[in-house]
Amino acid sequence: MATLLITGAAGRIGTALRPRLSAAGHDLVLLDERRPDPPVGDRERFVEGNVNDRTALEAALPGVDTVVHLAGIPTEDTWEALVEVNLTGTKNLLEGAAAAGVRRVLQASSIHAVGRLPEEDAPASVPGDRLPRPDTYYGFTKAAMELLGSLFADRYDMSIVSARIGAFGERPSSRRALRMWSSPDDLARLVQATADLREPGHHVVWAVSRNTGSPADLRAGEAIGFHPVDDASAVLDADERDALPDEDMRFLGGGMTDLPLGRRTN
């Protein structure tokens, strides 16, 4: 199997993916500023640092087949912080991967790259590679990250997947998540589809599950071998679904569309 580098490996998504990717037979290199929990296990190697630390990248990338780029600020923040981490950090990661001969990268984009799209304008189907319509500075940096993926795919014959993640979690946690949930198992399936790519190119896809009633058009992901199987409605029983908290449903990005631009959230 492949050797995968996970940036931001100690974060919520990286922590959920680790056991799933290890069980699939992959060796993992874990890059983060803090030690992962649970501790590093067999067939895992930890490199302390971040994507703006070139020394750490040089230590992490040799021998890697595919990068799973999860490192970044995951919500609205100051312009300066978002650009430094989400854009400059992604540029550094892609430069390092290209220099090390790594030809496959899955990078975590977000629903917020298209978060300002009114739900009433897209009741049935939103293509995975729809043109960006960001809802925040955070969403803008995710849309710009996708452009960096396109640039490096073209310049260095890399296979890069920009994955627009929806409402990630072990279980759906809101009414919006019933439509835009990204299950850990399905994200692991997208990592595998990326690791299996052999033709260069950039692909923007929905990294969401096959949720009943979802506006996410999954065909862009299916074209590269990503076939999600989980359904948020099937994970919860009727009483659990009825008890889910309400959420702003005017835009794909939910309540984040009303956050003051550039104001850090907790």
Side-chain angles (χ1 to χ4, degrees):
M1 300 302 286
T3 297
L4 311 179
L5 165 62
I6 304 177
T7 72
R12 192 164 57 102
I13 298 178
T15 299
L17 286 179
R18 283 174 56 200
R20 292 168 168 86
L21 298 177
S22 292
H26 298 299
D27 295 321
L28 305 180
V29 182
L30 312 176
L31 176 67
D32 207 298
E33 294 177 306
R34 54 193 174 95
R35 285 197 165 271
D37 183 20
V40 177
D42 295 339
R43 301 180 66 178
E44 292 184 324
R45 177 169 67 91
F46 173 62
V47 177
E48 183 175 359
N50 60 53
V51 288
N52 283 325
D53 181 345
R54 292 185 181 276
T55 299
L57 287 175
E58 290 172 358
L61 282 163
V64 167
D65 301 296
T66 301
V67 173
V68 183
H69 177 38
L70 305 175
I73 296 174
T75 187
E76 184 67 344
D77 207 322
T78 66
W79 173 264
E80 292 78 11
L82 286 163
V83 168
E84 178 183 7
V85 177
N86 291 3
L87 287 187
T88 302
T90 296
K91 174 192 72 73
N92 291 339
L93 181 278
L94 292 175
E95 286 179 345
V102 180
R103 290 295 176 260
R104 287 171 292 279
V105 178
L106 171 69
Q107 54 180 16
S109 184
S110 169
I111 188 175
H112 297 288
V114 289
R116 196 66 189 183
L117 183 67
E119 289 228 11
E120 64 182 18
D121 290 351
S125 180
V126 181
D129 55 359
R130 187 199 185 278
L131 288 174
R133 193 168 176 180
D135 53 20
T136 47
Y137 288 156
Y138 164 74
F140 168 82
T141 63
K142 289 299 183 177
M145 172 194 290
E146 294 173 2
L147 293 177
L148 281 171
S150 178
L151 171 65
F152 276 79
D154 287 342
R155 292 290 294 265
Y156 297 101
D157 290 332
M158 299 171 74
S159 302
I160 299 181
V161 176
S162 294
R164 289 177 173 171
I165 299 172
F168 175 83
E170 293 287 345
R171 289 164 61 84
S173 59
S174 70
R175 295 189 185 277
R176 170 171 300 282
L178 288 176
R179 304 179 72 199
M180 300 305 292
W181 181 51
S182 303
S183 79
D185 285 342
D186 279 334
L187 282 188
R189 293 181 180 102
L190 181 52
V191 172
Q192 185 61 59
T194 302
D196 289 341
L197 290 174
R198 293 297 178 265
E199 295 297 322
H202 178 236
H203 309 275
V204 183
V205 307
W206 278 120
V208 301
S209 295
R210 198 172 294 278
N211 304 312
T212 299
S214 175
D217 182 336
L218 302 177
R219 285 179 292 181
E222 290 170 345
I224 62 167
F226 171 49
H227 300 281
V229 301
D230 295 329
D231 183 342
S233 294
V235 173
L236 306 178
D237 61 33
D239 289 340
E240 290 173 319
R241 292 195 297 271
D242 290 342
L244 289 173
D246 289 327
E247 194 172 350
D248 186 342
M249 302 287 281
R250 293 171 301 149
F251 300 97
L252 283 183
M256 197 157 167
T257 61
D258 289 330
L259 291 178
L261 290 176
R263 181 175 298 178
R264 182 180 178 85
T265 59
N266 296 322

